[in-house]
Structure formats: structure tokens, C-alpha cells
Amino acid sequence: MNKLQNDYINSNVEYIKRKYIEEYILYKKYHISASNCLIHAVTIYLEWLVTLNVLHTIYLARPLVMILVLFQLILVKPISVFVSVALVFSVYFVESVTLEIFATETVEFYISILVFLIVHLNCWMLQVGIGHFMIDNNRPSMSESISPYGVIYSLLLSWETLMQQIQIQK
């Protein structure tokens, strides 16, 4: 690789790291208690799982997960390895379960969409209604700002914040 290519890659990696720090500061501002962080860590994982299930039916789950894993691992954090492994495991779990349950791809797609909607609505109710309004007594961080990086890093943000809250309470 020549110096120009190397500089280009390094500048992009630094940009991704800077974006993660910005998203982390915003996320931490709105997720105060360990209980709310736990709700988010579990429900965001469920949301990713059903999203990957829908994307699996249109053959986009694997490429998306590879992009997400790349974004997580660029940060070089121990928790990002955990989140990356969880995402990769999720794709293979989704692929094996959906192949066993559904007979045709058409049925699989429509049921995946239905499950996607039900899970997302319930997760949002848990996150916003219980996590933000009842436990932390604040609004979601999405009310201040939403960006593609916030979505890409949502699983990592939720788990890193939860791990930090657990360490604080020890």
C-alpha cells in the first residue's frame, strides 16, 4: 500500500472512532440507570435479531453483519469483540431457525415482517415507556439527534454503557 492509500484508510478509521465517541456521549447522557441500560442492551439485541431475520429473507443479512462487524472492530474495544461475535452468531442462528420453521420463502418473508413489527413495537415500549419515562425520568436520545452511526453502534453503545453502569455500582 502506498502512503496516500494508507493516509486515506487512517483518516477514515479516525473519523469512525470520532463518530463513535460523539454517539457514546449522547447515548450516555440519556441512559443513566443500570436498569434502563439493561433494558436497552436486551431489547436492542432483539431488534437486531429480528431485523437480521427480515434481511435474511432478501439475502442481505450477511453483508450487513460484515459491515457492522467491521465498524465495531475498528474501535478496538474488548466489548466490540463481544458485540461482533453476537451479531455473527445471530446471522447463523436466524438462518438455521428460519430454514427449519418455514416451508417457503414467501411465507418466511411475511412472517418475518410480522415478527419484526411486533418485536420492535414491544421493545420500543419497554425502552421508552419503562426505561426512559419510568426509570430514568427522561426522554430518548433519539429526540435530540438520530444518525446512521447511532443505529450502527446501537448494540455496542447499549452494552458498553451497561458494563460501565455495573462497574460503577460495584
Side-chain angles (χ1 to χ4, degrees), residues 53-107:
N53 189 32
V54 169
L55 293 174
H56 163 68
T57 62
I58 55 174
Y59 306 104
L60 288 177
R62 284 186 185 190
L64 175 65
V65 165
M66 292 305 119
I67 292 168
L68 290 171
V69 165
L70 177 66
F71 269 79
Q72 312 295 339
L73 293 178
I74 282 175
L75 299 172
V76 193
K77 293 174 170 264
I79 193 77
S80 65
V81 174
F82 166 76
V83 168
S84 298
V85 169
L87 284 169
V88 170
F89 169 77
S90 299
V91 169
Y92 290 101
F93 173 77
V94 161
E95 288 176 355
S96 63
V97 168
T98 54
L99 288 175
E100 294 295 322
I101 295 174
F102 305 112
T104 67
E105 289 183 12
T106 306
V107 171

Side-chain angles (χ1 to χ4, degrees), residues 31-162:
H31 300 84
I32 301 161
S33 70
S35 302
N36 187 20
C37 291
L38 178 62
I39 288 170
H40 278 73
V42 171
T43 56
I44 289 172
Y45 179 74
L46 290 173
E47 290 170 337
W48 273 109
L49 194 61
V50 296
T51 301
L52 291 173
N53 189 32
V54 169
L55 293 174
H56 163 68
T57 62
I58 55 174
Y59 306 104
L60 288 177
R62 284 186 185 190
L64 175 65
V65 165
M66 292 305 119
I67 292 168
L68 290 171
V69 165
L70 177 66
F71 269 79
Q72 312 295 339
L73 293 178
I74 282 175
L75 299 172
V76 193
K77 293 174 170 264
I79 193 77
S80 65
V81 174
F82 166 76
V83 168
S84 298
V85 169
L87 284 169
V88 170
F89 169 77
S90 299
V91 169
Y92 290 101
F93 173 77
V94 161
E95 288 176 355
S96 63
V97 168
T98 54
L99 288 175
E100 294 295 322
I101 295 174
F102 305 112
T104 67
E105 289 183 12
T106 306
V107 171
E108 178 184 344
F109 178 72
Y110 289 118
I111 291 177
S112 296
I113 294 291
L114 181 63
V115 169
F116 172 87
L117 293 172
I118 291 168
V119 169
H120 271 277
L121 288 173
N122 284 296
C123 287
W124 289 338
M125 285 190 295
L126 285 168
Q127 291 169 6
V128 176
I130 295 174
H132 286 291
F133 292 139
M134 293 176 72
I135 295 173
D136 280 352
N137 199 22
N138 65 11
R139 63 188 198 276
S141 58
M142 290 178 6
S143 63
E144 183 176 318
S145 171
I146 187 165
S147 74
Y149 291 98
V151 175
I152 290 170
Y153 289 127
S154 60
L155 188 57
L156 182 59
L157 291 167
S158 65
W159 278 97
E160 186 169 3
T161 308
L162 175 63

